[in-house]
């Protein structure tokens, strides 16, 4: 999201709409192609959408748990070179962005970041697709993100400001390992980014987005319990709920998994202006478009 031009993001979104509308036209577009899916972290959506996505395009997926593979005991370089002999693309959900970059450096095939501590670009593609489907444009559209500044906030900010939407970031806490000054500077330079600590700014948005206050790898970690408790205290005034919205009815977004009663009140999750499941479903369509473009089959 940080490096690709707006035209490329738009091209993926247009193709995603086309693929979503007529999936049968692409049913064998990636026949004979293999996608290696590498996981160091848990997943529901990323796993399901990429695995089904490549299959729906006629290709195959191989899912590999990093800790049960020999990526765990050998330099990434050699394993990356080997798997490139069989895989036509790699989707990797790794803990560290540096390792995703190392994988991309040595692999001979495209490497897709399936969420690291800094970025979650395929989530942002699905998010932008969801907004675009609703509005048919990004011009004049305002998306507020309320929560902890994390990997999701980074890619949403970079992608949305690039394609023409306005973004309001309401993020009193920052995941230190997620912060990317260069990305934020570029977003500010578009003139479409506002940063505020006022949670009531959600009332000025067409779409209000929130995400977990604690990253997935820490959520059930006893060693992180004190920091988790501190964040819950700090973030509670920023919970997305009806009181905060005060009668305003923006579209509600969340990338899932959800923690009801923490970052979002339970009654908003399935309210009639929630797009949460559409957003999650759009992972599949956006990722199919991405695979088609990366593998030259668009
Ligand atoms: N939003 C998202 O990436 O979901 P998973 O962690 O379940 O893959």
């Amino acid at each position: 999201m940080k490096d690709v031009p707006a035209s490329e993001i738009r091209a993926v979104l247009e193709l995603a709409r086309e693929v979503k509308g007529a999936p049968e036209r692409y049913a064998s577009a990636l026949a004979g192609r293999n996608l290696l899916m590498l996981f160091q972290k848990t997943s529901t959506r990323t796993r399901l959408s990429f695995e089904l996505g490549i299959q729906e395009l006629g290709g195959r997926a191989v899912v590999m748990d990093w800790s049960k593979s020999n990526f765990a005991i050998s330099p990434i370089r050699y394993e990356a070179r080997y798997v490139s002999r069989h895989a036509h693309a790699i989707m990797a959900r790794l803990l560290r962005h540096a390792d995703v970059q190392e994988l991309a450096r040595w692999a001979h095939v495209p490497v897709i970041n399936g969420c690291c501590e800094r970025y979650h670009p395929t989530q942002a593609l699905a998010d932008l697709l969801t907004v675009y489907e609703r509005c048919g444009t990004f011009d004049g559209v305002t998306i507020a993100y309320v929560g902890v500044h994390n990997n999701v906030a980074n890619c949403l900010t970079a992608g949305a400001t690039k394609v023409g939407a306005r973004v309001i970031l309401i993020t009193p806490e920052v995941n230190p390992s997620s912060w990317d000054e260069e990305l934020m500077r570029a977003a500010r330079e578009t003139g479409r980014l506002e940063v505020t600590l006022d949670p009531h700014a959600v009332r000025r948005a067409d779409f209000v987005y929130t995400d977990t206050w604690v990253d997935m790898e820490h959520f059930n970690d006893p060693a992180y319990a004190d920091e988790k408790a501190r964040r819950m205290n700090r973030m509670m005034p920023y919970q997305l709920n009806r009181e905060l919205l005060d009668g305003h009815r923006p579209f509600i977004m969340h990338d899932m998994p959800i923690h009801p009663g923490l970052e979002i009140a339970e009654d908003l999750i399935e309210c009639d202006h929630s797009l949460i499941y559409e957003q999650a479903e759009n992972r599949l369509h956006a990722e199919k478009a991405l695979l088609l473009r990366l593998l030259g089959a668009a």
Side-chain angles (χ1 to χ4, degrees), residues 220-240:
N220 293 323
D221 177 5
Y224 202 79
D226 288 349
E227 172 61 10
K228 186 175 171 184
R230 189 195 66 78
R231 284 186 179 210
M232 301 304 155
N233 250 350
R234 173 74 176 114
M235 293 304 298
M236 207 41 95
Y238 292 84
Q239 183 191 70
L240 181 52

Side-chain angles (χ1 to χ4, degrees), residues 28-221:
S28 56
L30 294 184
R33 310 289 188 98
N34 303 319
L35 174 69
L36 174 64
M37 300 170 58
L38 268 174
F39 287 95
Q40 273 183 338
K41 298 193 274 184
T42 56
S43 171
T44 304
R45 278 142 293 275
T46 304
R47 160 94 195 245
L48 189 61
S49 56
F50 269 105
E51 190 166 352
L52 289 182
I54 187 84
Q55 286 172 9
E56 288 182 12
L57 296 169
R60 276 179 302 222
V62 175
V63 181
M64 209 174 266
D65 178 342
W66 181 281
S67 66
K68 293 193 177 71
S69 79
N70 286 333
F71 273 98
I73 58 166
S74 174
I76 289 173
R77 168 182 181 165
Y78 306 113
E79 296 297 279
R81 281 198 185 281
Y82 160 67
V83 299
S84 301
R85 296 269 173 137
H86 297 304
H88 299 90
I90 301 168
M91 189 290 299
R93 168 167 283 196
L94 306 186
L95 289 163
R96 297 200 328 239
H97 186 242
D99 286 344
V100 183
Q101 287 180 305
E102 184 70 359
L103 191 57
R105 180 173 174 212
W106 294 108
H108 297 302
V109 296
V111 173
I112 301 167
N113 183 344
C115 184
C116 64
E117 87 284 23
R118 298 191 92 183
Y119 308 115
H120 199 351
T122 59
Q123 180 63 53
L125 284 176
D127 301 339
L128 294 177
L129 177 61
T130 307
V131 171
Y132 191 46
E133 281 179 331
R134 282 284 149 177
C135 302
T137 179
F138 293 105
D139 297 337
V141 172
T142 301
I143 306 166
Y145 176 94
V146 59
V148 171
H149 189 110
N150 60 9
N151 44 13
V152 167
N154 271 341
C155 288
L156 179 73
T157 301
T161 54
K162 251 182 207 186
V163 296
R166 281 178 45 78
V167 173
I168 306 175
L169 280 180
I170 313 161
T171 50
E173 282 282 329
V174 175
N175 279 347
S177 58
S178 303
W179 186 254
D180 184 334
E181 184 56 41
E182 193 180 61
L183 179 150
M184 291 296 286
R185 191 180 323 118
R188 276 187 223 107
E189 282 170 4
T190 65
R192 290 189 282 271
L193 175 63
E194 175 184 340
V195 179
T196 176
L197 290 181
D198 178 8
H200 304 113
V202 295
R203 297 174 190 165
R204 292 189 277 116
D206 306 299
F207 296 80
V208 179
Y209 195 136
T210 190
D211 186 18
T212 182
W213 292 336
V214 175
D215 274 359
M216 65 180 83
E217 61 268 35
H218 299 307
F219 206 84
N220 293 323
D221 177 5

